[in-house]
Amino acid sequence: MTILGQMLAYRRPLQTAVASVGLFAAAPASISFLLATLVVSVLWHDPPGGHRLVAACCAWRATNLPRGPLLPLLGSALLVRRPVEAIWTTTATGLVLGPLEAVVRSRRLIALGVLGHVLPTILVDLCWLVTGQAGQGLDGLDVGTSAVVVAAAAALAVTTRSLPVAAVLVAGLTVDIAAAPDLATTEHLIAVVIGVSFAMAFSRERRGATAPSDSTPVDATSVGLTAAAAQFRGAPPWSPSSPGGPSRVDAKTVAGRRSLRARRGLAAVNSDGGGQQPGLRDRHLRDPEARLSAGRVTVTLRAAASVPLGGHGSESCH
């Protein structure tokens, strides 16, 4: 495997899903986010009617927070104003959003995107309004896909344990802090915390779903068939190593089965052999081995009859 292949190994779940069901079915939320972003951004540059429409639903400013409405807060994640931002969002969709959606599924990705954009934006806007720091990049429009992508990248690095993704994320944040530290940088750092927390919660949920549970019910049919097969081979109904079975057998169940076998054996001894000659039973009983066998059957029947039957044992006798 080449170095590039090792760096992009985290995209294998997405590639497998695309080969199986197609691109849009494999990452519908990511593709929809990208298409919506491109459409909204194109309409923003359309002077007649598109610009007014986008301004009403997606043009968010920090000063809108105390007076509302809050709809532009959600729509602001879909608006990019420069071509380089559109290219960056398209690249991030294929390298970050799509691979993450293939792992965590669409609903979780949407929840992470909304939380990763809304919460950092509100916290930073509140800080800007309270401190009144002019010239911190929030006196104009507060729009863009960066918070969504940063939160998704942090979650992807933790979920897939990809060192390349983590390294690129750390390098990008370092450049952001060193080049232009402002409240927008703080917004990205909060998005990283949200993405890591989301990935840790998802990992715990996945481990809990795959861990075996002691309270899992045992299929009664499989238990009965396994016990019957063990008795047919002359082995105990269950052993401690038997998968899915109890470590011991109920005493009433064992007594009921022994009683049933004893009664069948005694009936076979007392029968005339299905049309055999009269007196054949007497000749059998005169034989020492036959008498010994009949005695064992009688003793077994009496011993089994002395045990109160119940549960599965009583059902077997009927």
Side-chain angles (χ1 to χ4, degrees), residues 18-84:
V18 170
S20 177
V21 297
L23 179 59
F24 186 79
S30 302
I31 300 301
S32 300
F33 175 77
L34 175 61
L35 294 179
T37 299
L38 296 178
V39 171
V40 168
S41 301
V42 169
L43 291 177
W44 172 260
H45 295 282
D46 181 22
H51 183 83
R52 289 195 299 269
L53 177 63
V54 174
C57 67
C58 303
W60 173 258
R61 291 176 173 85
T63 54
N64 294 340
L65 185 60
R67 61 188 181 186
L70 298 180
L71 176 61
L73 176 61
L74 295 175
S76 62
L78 304 175
L79 177 57
V80 293
R81 293 175 292 172
R82 295 180 298 174
V84 64

Side-chain angles (χ1 to χ4, degrees), residues 101-142:
E101 184 176 3
V103 176
V104 303
R105 302 304 180 224
S106 301
R107 289 183 297 178
R108 293 188 180 94
L109 178 65
I110 294 174
L112 174 62
V114 172
L115 187 62
H117 174 75
V118 172
L119 186 58
T121 302
I122 291 178
L123 292 178
V124 171
D125 289 352
L126 284 175
C127 180
W128 183 81
L129 291 173
V130 170
T131 58
Q133 300 182 26
Q136 293 296 317
L138 296 179
D139 49 349
L141 290 178
D142 184 11

Side-chain angles (χ1 to χ4, degrees), residues 234-269:
W238 291 107
S239 62
S241 61
S242 299
S247 58
R248 61 185 181 87
V249 182
D250 186 76
K252 295 181 180 180
T253 303
V254 176
R257 292 171 179 171
R258 289 179 177 175
S259 174
L260 179 60
R261 291 197 299 269
R263 291 177 184 177
R264 290 176 178 174
L266 185 60
V269 172

Side-chain angles (χ1 to χ4, degrees), residues 165-177:
V165 174
V168 172
L169 178 62
V170 171
L173 292 175
T174 302
V175 172
D176 191 10
I177 295 173

Side-chain angles (χ1 to χ4, degrees), residues 294-316:
R296 290 176 179 174
V297 172
T298 305
V299 171
T300 302
L301 175 61
R302 291 176 178 175
S306 63
V307 179
L309 300 180
H312 297 288
S314 60
E315 295 176 3
S316 301

